[in-house]
Amino acid sequence: MNIGVHRSLAALRMTSFVAPLAGSCAFAYSVALQAMSPSKSIVIRELASFDDLKQVEGVEREVWESADVDVLPLAVIIALKEAGNLWIGAFDGAHLIGFAFGFLGLHHGRPNLHSHMLAVRAAYRDTDVGYKLKMAQRELVAATRVHGIRLDEITWTFDPLQSRNAHLNFAKLGVISETYKPDFYGPETTSSLHRNSTDRLWVRWPIASRRVEDRLRGKENRTVMLDALSTVLPLVQFNGEGKPVRTSLEEAEIRQRIAIEIPTDIGALEKKDPAVARDWRQATRWAFVEAIKRGFFVAEFCRMVRGQQGPGAYILEKGSVGEYVPEMTK
């Protein structure tokens, strides 16, 4: 995938507090998608007009299959944009095919961007649009200042049973997580993706760190991770029938590194065997909560087979995030 970057201003977002996160710079990525006709391209840019913003609801409905009560109203979308929050869209012509939405947040008293939503229409999910939206988000946030403080971290949440998202977040982007939130949005929502609870990992993306720079340059650590998985204790692992089995918490607690295995495709499993899918939710919830309580954090995710999907395992390390990623001690 080749990207050309076009800017109308030489400098990005040297803003102070209450200056908007969005709208201070016009920019666009022209993304040539290998999975499509060579004559087609996707443009990634900030949502600017009413016509741009009114397409957000349609993408939400397609991606999450939610009822009206769980879809962000157009009036709120417009207000959030005008208040300075960051809306980045991926366009196929004039058609919005994906977006990333974030707002200003605080972590340990430092300002950051919380990326609340990332959505890509189904027909475009194998074209790396989600990754490119995160790259555009990172570029804009890195150039933002709040009261002279540089924003150097983006946070978001995702369902830890979604292996595709886990691979994107940990293997390709380089996030870290030290927080697991059971039923983050309640026991369920009207979305078809939220019927098996709404547990989330809260992840931190230290956008200026060596770890992230290495991941974005494609420096792969999969071989190291597979070697690690051959020796670590899985706190939750597959049995011969594809069901989760819990191992000894006491034995895991004395180790420096543990693992938590997850299924290949939790969405397909929820349709085929909802009871087993619920077992995976309960088992992994127990494992994450108990491990984090005992001083572990989520450091990596590794697919056990190569390809777009595949069963995978999280690797959790004992200690502080700052020891693992020095830039996160600031």
Side-chain angles (χ1 to χ4, degrees), residues 196 243-244 246 274-284:
N196 184 19
K243 297 179 181 179
R246 306 184 190 194
V276 173
R278 285 193 294 272
D279 288 345
W280 274 103
R281 175 68 74 198
Q282 294 302 318
T284 54

Side-chain angles (χ1 to χ4, degrees), residues 224-237:
V224 175
M225 293 301 99
L226 288 173
D227 287 344
L229 287 172
S230 68
T231 60
V232 299
L233 172 72
L235 200 50
V236 172
Q237 60 185 337

Side-chain angles (χ1 to χ4, degrees), residues 82-219:
E82 289 303 307
N85 296 290
L86 188 57
W87 288 94
I88 303 173
F91 289 85
D92 187 351
H95 182 53
L96 183 69
I97 57 93
F99 69 85
F101 162 59
F103 50 79
L104 194 66
L106 288 173
H107 185 82
H108 297 321
R110 286 185 60 86
N112 65 9
L113 185 86
H114 182 72
S115 182
H116 178 54
M117 288 191 287
L118 175 70
V120 178
R121 292 186 187 272
Y124 295 84
R125 286 180 196 157
D126 291 329
T127 58
D128 237 12
V129 170
Y131 177 80
K132 301 306 178 186
L133 284 166
K134 297 306 290 186
M135 292 302 95
Q137 192 178 62
R138 175 179 181 261
E139 181 175 355
L140 285 176
V141 170
T144 300
R145 303 292 184 273
V146 176
H147 278 323
I149 299 173
R150 177 183 178 182
L151 300 188
D152 55 12
E153 185 171 286
I154 302 175
T155 62
W156 63 88
T157 65
F158 81 99
D159 183 348
L161 286 178
Q162 295 287 347
S163 65
R164 181 190 293 262
N165 292 347
H167 175 72
L168 169 65
N169 291 332
F170 285 90
K172 296 185 70 174
L173 298 178
V175 304
I176 290 285
S177 179
E178 54 196 333
T179 306
Y180 185 91
K181 294 183 176 291
D183 284 334
F184 186 54
Y185 298 113
E188 64 177 26
T189 74
T190 62
S191 170
S192 61
L193 303 178
H194 299 164
R195 303 292 167 77
N196 184 19
S197 183
T198 63
D199 290 22
R200 294 292 182 268
L201 276 177
W202 182 284
V203 302
R204 299 170 61 190
W205 194 26
I207 58 176
S209 68
R210 172 72 176 274
R211 170 186 169 91
V212 169
E213 292 286 353
D214 285 346
R215 298 297 162 89
L216 300 187
R217 285 196 295 265
K219 185 175 180 181

Side-chain angles (χ1 to χ4, degrees), residues 178 256 294-297 316-324:
E178 54 196 333
Q256 179 62 33
R294 286 162 171 76
F296 289 90
F297 64 91
L316 288 76
E317 302 277 355
K318 181 174 281 188
S320 71
V321 167
E323 292 172 337
Y324 201 74

Side-chain angles (χ1 to χ4, degrees), residues 7-122:
R7 296 184 180 87
S8 62
L9 297 177
L12 291 170
R13 298 185 182 280
M14 296 303 178
T15 58
S16 58
F17 186 63
V18 304
L21 281 170
S24 61
C25 170
F27 79 105
Y29 289 93
S30 179
V31 182
L33 297 179
Q34 295 174 348
M36 302 174 64
S37 166
S39 64
K40 289 191 174 183
S41 65
I42 301 300
V43 173
I44 295 181
R45 60 173 174 80
E46 291 186 52
L47 304 187
S49 67
F50 176 79
D51 288 339
D52 290 345
L53 294 167
K54 74 179 182 181
Q55 295 187 65
V56 169
E57 287 182 278
V59 179
E60 272 196 83
R61 292 179 193 280
E62 177 181 324
V63 171
W64 284 286
E65 300 177 349
S66 298
D68 288 349
V69 67
D70 288 318
V71 174
L72 200 60
L74 178 57
V76 176
I77 293 169
I78 293 170
L80 288 167
K81 166 68 177 176
E82 289 303 307
N85 296 290
L86 188 57
W87 288 94
I88 303 173
F91 289 85
D92 187 351
H95 182 53
L96 183 69
I97 57 93
F99 69 85
F101 162 59
F103 50 79
L104 194 66
L106 288 173
H107 185 82
H108 297 321
R110 286 185 60 86
N112 65 9
L113 185 86
H114 182 72
S115 182
H116 178 54
M117 288 191 287
L118 175 70
V120 178
R121 292 186 187 272

